[in-house]
Amino acid sequence: QVHVVESGGGLVQAGGSLRLSCVASGRTLTSYAMGWFRQAPGKERDFVAEISVSGGSTSYTDSVKGRFTISRDNAKNTVYLQMNDLKPEDTAVYYCAAGFFSRATSAYEYWGQGTHVTVSS
């Protein structure tokens, strides 16, 4: 069993930056690939970024490439999402998840409760 907790969300102006953190407990994160997903009001939960167990492989949805960076510190059981040049369309609840290296929500077994990100124009 893995328990994940996200933090770092908030209100930011367009063009600003936020860094989301995801801390895991229960089992070491070194057993899992990690993903970030987001869900805007009235929309489905969408893939944002993922990182492999070792951190050697990452992938991003096209809309955040060049702006967001996913990273992990396995010694701290923590995954990060650095978000730069934020846009109003990035407004959503951001979820961290542990599972298999995939863009599909179904590949991830453990999910956090989410952290809200609001980007004002």
Side-chain angles (χ1 to χ4, degrees), residues 20-21 39 57 65 74 81 86-87 90 114 121:
L20 306 184
S21 299
Q39 188 166 18
S57 296
K65 283 181 181 176
N74 286 339
L81 185 68
L86 283 160
K87 306 176 185 297
D90 295 318
S121 57

mmCIF file of all heavy atoms in Angstrom, residues 20-21 39 57 65 74 81 86-87 90 114 121:
data_model
loop_
_atom_site.group_PDB
_atom_site.id
_atom_site.type_symbol
_atom_site.label_atom_id
_atom_site.label_comp_id
_atom_site.label_asym_id
_atom_site.label_seq_id
_atom_site.Cartn_x
_atom_site.Cartn_y
_atom_site.Cartn_z
ATOM 1 N N LEU A 20 4.999 21.666 -7.653
ATOM 2 C CA LEU A 20 4.188 20.698 -6.917
ATOM 3 C C LEU A 20 5.086 19.592 -6.375
ATOM 4 O O LEU A 20 6.042 19.174 -7.028
ATOM 5 C CB LEU A 20 3.115 20.091 -7.817
ATOM 6 C CG LEU A 20 2.192 21.073 -8.537
ATOM 7 C CD1 LEU A 20 1.122 20.291 -9.317
ATOM 8 C CD2 LEU A 20 1.564 22.051 -7.582
ATOM 9 N N SER A 21 4.741 19.113 -5.196
ATOM 10 C CA SER A 21 5.455 17.998 -4.587
ATOM 11 C C SER A 21 4.478 16.873 -4.295
ATOM 12 O O SER A 21 3.297 17.110 -4.035
ATOM 13 C CB SER A 21 6.139 18.436 -3.290
ATOM 14 O OG SER A 21 7.090 19.442 -3.512
ATOM 15 N N GLN A 39 -7.173 17.568 -13.690
ATOM 16 C CA GLN A 39 -8.591 17.537 -14.031
ATOM 17 C C GLN A 39 -9.166 18.928 -13.856
ATOM 18 O O GLN A 39 -9.211 19.455 -12.737
ATOM 19 C CB GLN A 39 -9.329 16.532 -13.149
ATOM 20 C CG GLN A 39 -10.763 16.306 -13.556
ATOM 21 C CD GLN A 39 -11.359 15.075 -12.882
ATOM 22 O OE1 GLN A 39 -10.844 14.573 -11.882
ATOM 23 N NE2 GLN A 39 -12.445 14.572 -13.442
ATOM 24 N N SER A 57 13.701 8.080 -17.597
ATOM 25 C CA SER A 57 12.760 8.321 -18.692
ATOM 26 C C SER A 57 11.609 9.192 -18.219
ATOM 27 O O SER A 57 11.082 8.986 -17.115
ATOM 28 C CB SER A 57 12.198 6.998 -19.224
ATOM 29 O OG SER A 57 13.211 6.213 -19.781
ATOM 30 N N LYS A 65 5.029 20.593 -22.712
ATOM 31 C CA LYS A 65 6.434 20.385 -23.085
ATOM 32 C C LYS A 65 7.169 21.716 -23.134
ATOM 33 O O LYS A 65 6.675 22.690 -23.698
ATOM 34 C CB LYS A 65 6.521 19.683 -24.436
ATOM 35 C CG LYS A 65 6.231 18.206 -24.390
ATOM 36 C CD LYS A 65 6.372 17.574 -25.776
ATOM 37 C CE LYS A 65 6.055 16.097 -25.727
ATOM 38 N NZ LYS A 65 6.102 15.474 -27.078
ATOM 39 N N ASN A 74 14.225 9.651 -5.008
ATOM 40 C CA ASN A 74 13.809 8.398 -4.379
ATOM 41 C C ASN A 74 14.252 8.306 -2.919
ATOM 42 O O ASN A 74 13.593 7.649 -2.111
ATOM 43 C CB ASN A 74 14.329 7.217 -5.180
ATOM 44 C CG ASN A 74 13.569 7.017 -6.477
ATOM 45 O OD1 ASN A 74 12.436 7.481 -6.638
ATOM 46 N ND2 ASN A 74 14.182 6.330 -7.428
ATOM 47 N N LEU A 81 6.823 18.358 -9.671
ATOM 48 C CA LEU A 81 6.425 18.876 -10.982
ATOM 49 C C LEU A 81 6.686 20.374 -10.959
ATOM 50 O O LEU A 81 5.954 21.130 -10.306
ATOM 51 C CB LEU A 81 4.959 18.584 -11.283
ATOM 52 C CG LEU A 81 4.508 18.985 -12.688
ATOM 53 C CD1 LEU A 81 5.186 18.092 -13.739
ATOM 54 C CD2 LEU A 81 2.986 18.901 -12.839
ATOM 55 N N LEU A 86 3.161 29.470 -16.584
ATOM 56 C CA LEU A 86 1.810 28.938 -16.445
ATOM 57 C C LEU A 86 0.797 29.762 -17.224
ATOM 58 O O LEU A 86 0.917 30.989 -17.350
ATOM 59 C CB LEU A 86 1.425 28.880 -14.965
ATOM 60 C CG LEU A 86 2.057 27.706 -14.211
ATOM 61 C CD1 LEU A 86 2.062 27.953 -12.717
ATOM 62 C CD2 LEU A 86 1.315 26.423 -14.538
ATOM 63 N N LYS A 87 -0.204 29.071 -17.726
ATOM 64 C CA LYS A 87 -1.258 29.672 -18.527
ATOM 65 C C LYS A 87 -2.606 29.417 -17.862
ATOM 66 O O LYS A 87 -2.758 28.428 -17.122
ATOM 67 C CB LYS A 87 -1.257 29.063 -19.927
ATOM 68 C CG LYS A 87 0.088 29.137 -20.646
ATOM 69 C CD LYS A 87 0.034 28.427 -21.963
ATOM 70 C CE LYS A 87 1.401 28.380 -22.650
ATOM 71 N NZ LYS A 87 1.902 29.729 -22.993
ATOM 72 N N ASP A 90 -3.938 25.957 -17.709
ATOM 73 C CA ASP A 90 -3.332 24.995 -16.796
ATOM 74 C C ASP A 90 -4.122 24.865 -15.493
ATOM 75 O O ASP A 90 -3.816 24.008 -14.661
ATOM 76 C CB ASP A 90 -1.891 25.393 -16.457
ATOM 77 C CG ASP A 90 -0.966 25.345 -17.654
ATOM 78 O OD1 ASP A 90 -1.062 24.384 -18.445
ATOM 79 O OD2 ASP A 90 -0.148 26.277 -17.802
ATOM 80 N N GLY A 114 -5.127 15.291 -4.541
ATOM 81 C CA GLY A 114 -5.052 16.404 -5.479
ATOM 82 C C GLY A 114 -4.704 17.724 -4.820
ATOM 83 O O GLY A 114 -4.946 17.925 -3.626
ATOM 84 N N SER A 121 -5.479 35.261 -15.461
ATOM 85 C CA SER A 121 -4.987 35.946 -16.676
ATOM 86 C C SER A 121 -4.706 37.420 -16.402
ATOM 87 O O SER A 121 -5.031 37.947 -15.371
ATOM 88 C CB SER A 121 -6.010 35.805 -17.792
ATOM 89 O OG SER A 121 -7.249 36.320 -17.379
#
